[in-house]
């Protein structure tokens, strides 16, 4: 069988092949089959992320068949030339992320700092000595691959100065400093015998761990967040003997002690220096409990504030009143500036010394918000008068943005990726930060999305060259039948180029069908549920089996195009593979996802509070059954993570509708899942850990200290029982009596998001039940979503 020229091929000779071909067999498709090599080709397309820029230069990360590398495009004369910067080889489950693009000599001699190591600390090759994560630096010159030099090994949070000559990194409670000296930059292979740059201890904190390191603009001081399990402080350390003398002579910075900024009982994170270095803004997470001993509504999260400390004033004292709260979000808490809520949103960013732009959901839709920090917020209404939503329109979401460069006669601008011109896509617009005016630059449509990346860094704006006032905009654009590409537009001429290069051996996607966008009402008629329908190109009078796909997250949105995240682009390609083999596929954007506003995302009765999002999946199956082209008696379902949860909900509640399912890394029981993660432990366990800030899962099994002080009462025990009962009844575990359809379970046992215990519990429950066919495909030492390309291929082939 040959698929290198596309998906259309003869399946008449295919029977049962290399792997389980689970859904095809379970739904009795005699002509369908898969081979490992066919699936490998379908999933072999490149993925791009992490755009960074400087004048006349663009860099990004490109991963092909599991191998990540850095690529660059350089403007020479009047054209752009693209080339590969690094030369990593082999499918080893590695992840590569860009840290900073710098120029060691003004705006020349560019080099890029990046991390390279096992994804989520997985060890999918089962090495006797598990691999480390390294930070490397590579020169970008000669338009060719360059050797990489090791900066540090397993160096946690790291910050690099603008010239790329100094770096600071943390390892737990210890912070180190090093000089990026040319004489120490010997080529490094990343092996155990390699030599990284020498470092020395800068300071140690007494408690907790240090993260979010940030250098001041003049590089004279370092700020950071010190996470102390159930609270966190923002600290500042001078890198010279003395930096500033606040008014009144109180609290001067020095390099022999850490100064804490307005310490409180809350969790302070993500410090950001103002342009002059006179102020620091940070995010303050507040308490998430309430009088009924219940956690926030699922997907809502913790309330937060934005706090500003002025280092030129008396705010270096320890009094909480010495800081200024410039924004409070006590309702729409989960969409925080840390990039939560599945948006890939930007963190806090100063536009000048008096204004900060950040993501917020005031008004019910994610938008960039501009707040005047010169006036203190004295209450919920006060900051509203100091804040402007840079929306351009009302009922739409903005997911990522880039700052425009200030040029003569031109105000600062935000270049945003949003769905304001089409709710089921992403386009790019320019927003004037002075008056909120909006100009559409790239249209989002049914079969394309633009401006997003797996990390949110899918859009940058910079000058086309050193000394030039003309700008270029680079962005990632994904279509329905082509890999996501890096596009570049010179804004003065609107000339647009594709600067990423697709190798001629890349799998041909031109035979992919165009998904059709459809809508159907939710069961309670509160929402219109959006979905993509994939149908085979065949006789409409012949009914086909159907598959429902539900994404993970749940805070995610699928499109009528390849997704900007490779994991979900691969699942989109798998949907197309099903279609090529005679299936109809419906991909559902159920409640709890992004793209359709706060009330849709933080839906009432969803998650552990009732599982209403699953009812949208069931409504999708009912909608499918109404199509004459679909065999209503042959509908299956599959999904990853939260999508795996939806699969188990379908098989446990409605086996008569869903004849088979594949659950990849699913939640089986909300009670046990919350016990093994940090999200809402105090509300589901009689012996909760005191930590509510997410840590590695294994940390929680030995930190059972009882309820926190505000929860420790006789009522707490009763509330735990009530919450557990609701969570259990909202889980597949609460409906095992009606679980009848066969299921394939896929899971990596080093999953960092859904505990492997969930799969153990599911299999044990089905064994006790005794009348359900269950198969397992288990990947030792693998992470959530599977890091090794070979693992992804095996999981996809097994699903089919």
């Amino acid at each position: 069988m040959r698929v290198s020229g596309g998906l259309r091929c003869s399946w008449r000779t295919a029977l049962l092949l290399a792997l389980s071909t689970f859904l095809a067999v379970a739904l009795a498709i005699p002509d369908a089959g898969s081979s490992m090599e066919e699936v490998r080709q379908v999933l072999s397309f490149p993925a791009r992320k992490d755009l960074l820029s400087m004048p006349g230069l663009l860099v990004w990360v490109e991963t092909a068949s599991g191998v990540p590398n850095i690529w660059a495009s350089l403007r020479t004369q009047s054209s752009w030339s693209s080339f590969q910067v690094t030369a990593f080889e082999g499918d080893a489950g590695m992840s590569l992320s860009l840290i900073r693009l710098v120029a060691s000599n003004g705006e020349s001699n560019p080099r890029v700092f990046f991390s390279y190591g096992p994804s989520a600390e997985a060890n999918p090759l089962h090495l006797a000595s598990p691999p480390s994560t390294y930070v490397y630096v590579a020169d970008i010159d000669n338009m060719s691959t360059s050797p990489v030099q090791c900066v540090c090994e397993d160096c946690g949070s790291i910050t690099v100065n603008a010239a790329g000559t100094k770096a600071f990194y943390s390892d737990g409670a210890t912070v180190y400093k090093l000089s990026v000296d040319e004489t120490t930059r010997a080529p490094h292979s990343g092996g155990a015998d390699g030599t990284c740059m020498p470092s020395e201890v800068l300071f140690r904190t007494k408690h907790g761990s240090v993260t979010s390191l940030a250098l001041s603009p003049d590089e004279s001081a370092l700020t950071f967040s010190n996470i102390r399990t159930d609270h966190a402080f923002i600290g500042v350390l001078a890198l010279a003997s003395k930096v500033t003398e606040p008014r009144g002579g109180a609290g001067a910075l020095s390099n022999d002690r850490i100064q804490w900024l307005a310490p409180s009982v809350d969790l302070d994170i993500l410090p950001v220096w103002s342009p002059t270095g006179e102020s620091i803004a940070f995010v303050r997470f507040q308490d998430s409990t309430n009088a009924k001993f219940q956690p926030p509504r699922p997907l809502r999260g913790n309330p937060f504030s934005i706090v500003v400390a002025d280092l030129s004033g008396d705010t270096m004292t320890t009094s909480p009143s010495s800081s200024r709260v410039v924004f409070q979000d006590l309702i729409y808490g989960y969409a925080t500036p840390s990039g939560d809520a599945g948006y890939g949103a930007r963190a806090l960013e100063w536009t000048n010394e008096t204004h900060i732009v950040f993501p917020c959901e005031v008004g019910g839709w994610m938008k960039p918000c501009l707040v005047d920090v010169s006036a203190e917020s004295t209450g919920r209404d006060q900051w509203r008068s100091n804040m402007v939503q840079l929306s351009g329109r009302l009922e739409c979401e903005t997911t990522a943005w880039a700052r425009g460069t200030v040029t003569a006669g031109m105000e600062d601008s935000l270049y945003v990726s949003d769905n304001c011109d089409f709710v089921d896509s992403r386009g790019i617009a320019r927003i004037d930060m002075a008056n909120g005016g909006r100009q559409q630059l790239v249209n989002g449509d049914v079969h394309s999305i633009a401006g997003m990346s797996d990390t949110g860094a899918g859009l940058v704006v910079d000058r086309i060259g050193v000394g030039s006032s003309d700008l270029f905009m680079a962005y990632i654009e994904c279509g329905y039948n082509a890999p996501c590409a890096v596009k570049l537009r010179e804004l003065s001429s609107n000339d647009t180029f594709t600067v990423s290069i697709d190798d001629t051996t890349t799998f041909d996607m031109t035979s992919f069908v165009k998904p059709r966008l459809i809508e159907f009402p939710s069961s309670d008629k509160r929402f219109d549920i959006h979905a993509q329908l994939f149908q085979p190109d065949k006789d409409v009078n012949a009914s086909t089996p159907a598959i429902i796909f539900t994404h993970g997250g749940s805070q995610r949105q699928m499109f009528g195009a390849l997704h900007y995240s490779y994991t979900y682009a691969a699942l989109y390609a798998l949907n197309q593979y099903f279609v090529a083999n005679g299936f109809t596929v419906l991909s559902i954007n159920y409640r709890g996802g992004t793209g359709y506003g706060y009330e849709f995302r933080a839906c009432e009765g969803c998650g552990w509070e009732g599982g209403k999002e699953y009812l949208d999946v069931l409504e999708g199956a009912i909608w499918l059954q109404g199509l004459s082209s679909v065999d209503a008696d042959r509908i299956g379902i599959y999904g990853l993570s939260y999508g795996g949860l939806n699969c188990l909900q379908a098989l446990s509640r409605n086996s008569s509708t869903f004849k088979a399912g594949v659950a990849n890394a699913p939640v089986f029981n909300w009670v046990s899942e919350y016990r093994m993660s940090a999200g809402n432990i105090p509300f589901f366990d009689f012996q909760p850990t005191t930590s509510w800030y997410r840590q590695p899962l294994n940390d929680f099994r030995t930190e059972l200290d009882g309820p926190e002080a505000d929860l420790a009462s006789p009522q707490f025990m009763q509330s735990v029982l009530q919450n557990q009962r609701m969570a259990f009844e909202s889980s597949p575990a609460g409906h095992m009596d009606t679980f009848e359809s066969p299921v394939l379970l896929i899971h990596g046992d080093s999953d960092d998001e859904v505990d492997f215990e969930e799969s153990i519990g599911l299999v044990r429950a089905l064994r006790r039940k005794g009348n359900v066919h269950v198969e397992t495909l288990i990947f030792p030492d693998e992470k959530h979503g599977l890091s090794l390309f070979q693992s992804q291929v095996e999981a996809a082939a097994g699903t089919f």
Side-chain angles (χ1 to χ4, degrees):
M1 293 178 290
R2 180 180 62 85
V3 296
S4 58
L7 284 177
R8 301 302 177 202
C9 52
S10 173
W11 303 99
R12 296 297 176 183
T13 60
L15 297 174
L16 190 62
L17 297 174
L19 283 181
S20 170
T21 61
F22 191 83
L23 288 174
V25 172
L27 298 177
I29 314 300
D31 294 339
S34 70
S35 74
M36 195 82 71
E37 183 56 30
E38 291 166 3
V39 175
R40 184 186 307 279
Q41 290 185 39
V42 172
L43 302 185
S44 65
F45 57 89
R48 282 103 184 187
K49 67 170 188 174
D50 280 8
L51 300 185
L52 289 182
S53 67
M54 59 188 302
L57 178 64
L58 176 70
V59 298
W60 66 90
V61 176
E62 184 163 318
T63 301
S65 298
V67 183
N69 274 293
I70 298 174
W71 280 71
S73 190
L74 180 67
R75 194 176 194 271
T76 57
Q77 302 298 327
S78 59
S79 62
W80 292 81
S81 299
S82 300
F83 55 96
Q84 188 172 328
V85 176
T86 59
F88 293 107
E89 298 178 342
D91 176 22
M94 293 296 188
S95 175
L96 192 158
S97 296
L98 301 184
I99 296 173
R100 187 163 191 179
L101 180 63
V102 302
S104 59
N105 183 19
E107 292 181 320
S108 61
N109 300 328
R111 52 179 130 162
V112 61
F113 287 79
F114 63 96
S115 65
Y116 180 84
S119 180
E121 300 184 358
N123 184 23
L125 295 181
H126 324 303
L127 302 177
S129 296
S132 298
T133 295
Y134 293 92
V135 169
Y136 293 120
V137 60
D139 293 324
I140 303 176
D141 54 13
N142 301 322
M143 291 193 292
S144 61
T145 57
S146 302
V148 300
Q149 291 80 37
C150 180
V151 177
C152 53
E153 179 181 3
D154 289 334
C155 39
S157 175
I158 186 169
T159 186
V160 179
N161 72 336
T165 57
K166 294 186 290 187
F168 302 84
Y169 67 91
S170 63
D171 182 4
T174 304
V175 174
Y176 300 85
K177 64 177 180 179
L178 60 83
S179 295
V180 184
D181 191 337
E182 293 292 335
T183 61
T184 66
R185 294 177 59 204
H188 183 66
S189 65
D193 59 345
T195 301
C196 296
M197 298 175 187
S199 62
E200 59 180 302
V201 173
L202 180 63
F203 68 89
R204 291 187 178 92
T205 57
K206 178 67 174 178
H207 305 289
S209 60
V210 173
T211 187
S212 301
L213 297 171
L215 269 173
S216 62
D218 63 1
E219 302 181 7
S220 64
L222 187 72
T223 186
F224 57 92
S225 179
N226 182 204
I227 307 295
R228 301 189 175 194
T229 307
D230 55 357
H231 63 288
F233 300 141
I234 300 298
V236 183
L237 181 74
L239 302 178
S241 59
K242 194 172 184 179
V243 175
T244 183
E245 184 72 30
R247 288 192 298 269
L253 283 173
S254 69
N255 64 353
D256 60 357
R257 67 188 178 100
I258 297 168
Q259 190 71 58
W260 302 111
L261 301 186
S264 73
V265 299
D266 297 314
L267 190 95
D268 296 343
I269 60 172
L270 301 174
V272 183
W273 293 92
S274 68
T276 63
E278 296 181 359
S279 302
I280 293 176
F282 56 91
V283 175
R284 171 167 289 171
F285 279 121
Q286 299 178 10
D287 174 46
S288 62
T289 64
N290 55 42
K292 296 182 179 179
F293 300 98
Q294 291 179 341
R297 206 161 80 196
L299 311 176
R300 180 175 275 185
N302 298 292
F304 73 96
S305 302
I306 296 177
V307 182
V308 172
D310 295 322
L311 304 191
S312 60
D314 61 359
T315 57
M316 297 305 296
T317 66
T318 59
S319 170
S321 62
S322 63
S323 63
R324 292 179 289 119
V325 175
V326 299
F327 176 84
Q328 291 179 323
D329 190 349
L330 305 181
I331 296 180
Y332 307 108
Y334 193 81
T336 64
S338 60
D340 290 335
Y343 292 104
R346 295 288 295 270
L348 306 180
E349 186 173 357
W350 293 81
T351 63
N352 53 44
E353 200 64 24
T354 59
H355 288 81
I356 292 174
V357 64
F358 63 98
C360 68
E361 277 187 308
V362 175
W365 293 83
M366 169 64 81
K367 300 283 170 53
C369 292
L370 187 69
V371 64
D372 182 352
V373 304
S374 60
E376 180 176 2
S377 170
T378 58
R380 182 171 179 81
D381 294 333
Q382 176 64 41
W383 57 255
R384 285 185 182 276
S385 64
N386 301 330
M387 187 198 71
V388 176
Q389 276 191 284
L390 299 173
S391 58
R393 297 181 186 176
L394 295 178
E395 295 189 352
C396 58
E397 288 183 350
T398 302
T399 46
W401 53 82
R403 284 279 309 284
T405 303
V406 178
T407 58
M410 183 180 186
E411 296 291 339
D412 248 359
S413 300
L414 278 185
Y415 293 79
V416 303
S417 173
D418 61 28
N419 65 354
C420 294
D421 64 326
F422 186 59
V423 71
D424 285 304
S425 183
R426 290 291 184 271
I428 299 174
R430 186 185 75 84
I431 296 178
D432 189 320
M433 295 175 65
N435 57 32
R438 184 176 185 277
Q439 175 190 6
Q440 193 72 31
L441 299 177
V442 179
N443 292 323
D445 61 32
V446 175
H447 298 119
S448 69
I449 59 174
M452 284 295 290
S453 165
D454 198 9
T455 56
L459 173 64
V460 296
V461 178
D462 218 316
R463 290 175 287 147
I464 64 172
V466 177
S468 174
S469 61
D470 292 334
L471 303 179
F472 75 83
M473 176 181 71
Y475 56 96
I476 294 175
E477 184 174 75
C478 309
Y480 82 93
N481 66 348
C484 298
V486 179
K487 298 290 187 72
L488 188 147
R489 177 180 297 182
E490 295 188 353
L491 296 179
S492 60
S493 63
N494 278 330
D495 290 340
T496 303
F497 320 92
T498 298
V499 294
S500 54
I501 300 172
D502 288 332
D503 191 277
T504 55
T505 61
T506 299
F507 178 72
D508 182 6
M509 294 182 172
T510 56
S511 57
F512 279 6
V513 301
K514 285 187 176 181
R516 181 162 63 95
L517 301 185
I518 62 102
E519 298 178 24
F520 54 86
S522 60
S523 58
D524 57 7
K525 312 303 181 186
R526 288 196 60 196
F527 301 99
D528 289 328
I529 306 303
H530 297 237
Q532 305 90 46
L533 179 67
F534 302 73
Q535 290 181 293
D537 184 14
K538 61 180 294 184
D539 186 352
V540 295
N541 294 320
S543 61
T544 68
I547 301 292
I548 283 182
F549 166 74
T550 66
H551 60 73
S554 63
Q555 301 190 55
R556 185 166 283 105
Q557 182 182 18
M558 297 299 290
F559 308 100
L562 274 83
H563 203 273
Y564 50 81
S565 162
Y566 172 77
T567 296
Y568 286 92
L571 292 170
Y572 171 96
L574 185 57
N575 287 340
Q576 293 276 6
Y577 188 62
F578 273 114
V579 172
N581 283 273
F583 289 84
T584 294
V585 177
L586 185 66
S587 173
I588 301 174
N589 286 328
Y590 54 90
R591 269 176 287 186
T594 56
Y596 309 104
Y598 172 80
E599 291 300 327
F600 186 91
R601 179 181 67 74
C603 48
E604 294 183 5
C606 292
W608 69 270
E609 273 193 331
K612 277 190 176 181
E613 69 279 14
Y614 162 67
L615 298 181
D616 300 337
V617 178
L618 180 59
E619 287 296 317
I622 295 171
W623 186 90
L624 272 178
Q625 288 175 328
L627 297 180
S628 60
S629 60
V630 168
D631 186 340
D633 293 325
R634 290 192 294 171
I635 295 178
I637 184 171
Y638 84 104
L640 165 66
S641 191
Y642 214 105
L645 164 67
N646 282 328
C647 172
L648 296 184
Q649 298 277 39
L651 303 184
S652 62
R653 296 171 184 240
N654 300 100
S655 278
S656 60
T657 299
F658 298 93
K659 303 303 183 182
V662 177
N664 191 333
V667 172
F668 170 58
N669 189 333
W670 279 122
V671 179
S672 57
E673 168 61 12
Y674 272 135
R675 184 181 296 121
M676 294 303 171
S677 66
N680 290 301
I681 288 175
F683 310 95
F684 289 95
D685 203 332
F686 291 110
Q687 289 287 344
T689 173
T690 59
S691 174
W692 63 276
Y693 185 77
R694 191 172 182 90
Q695 300 274 343
L697 293 175
N698 291 338
D699 289 356
F700 291 96
R701 295 174 180 169
T702 58
E703 295 184 5
L704 302 180
D705 300 318
E708 296 173 9
D710 60 322
L711 301 177
S713 72
Q715 289 82 9
F716 174 76
M717 309 297 278
Q718 182 179 359
S719 70
V720 167
L721 287 176
Q722 292 172 345
N723 293 334
Q724 284 190 353
R725 184 176 298 110
M726 180 183 295
F728 181 75
E729 292 173 354
S730 302
S731 305
H735 301 271
M736 293 305 293
D737 289 346
T738 52
F739 198 127
E740 298 176 359
S741 297
V743 61
L744 169 64
L745 177 65
I746 302 173
H747 213 154
D749 86 319
S750 291
D751 195 320
D752 56 316
E753 296 187 35
V754 176
D755 198 277
F756 189 64
E757 182 187 82
E758 294 298 294
S759 289
I760 294 174
L762 170 64
V763 172
R764 288 176 176 172
L766 291 175
R767 284 173 178 169
R768 285 194 297 270
K769 185 173 174 61
N771 63 344
V772 176
H773 178 73
V774 57
E775 296 182 16
T776 60
L777 186 55
I778 304 302
F779 295 91
D781 304 323
E782 266 285 17
K783 63 175 277 287
H784 193 73
L786 306 177
S787 60
L788 202 67
F789 182 65
Q790 177 63 25
S791 299
Q792 298 165 14
V793 170
E794 292 179 16
T799 297
F800 181 82

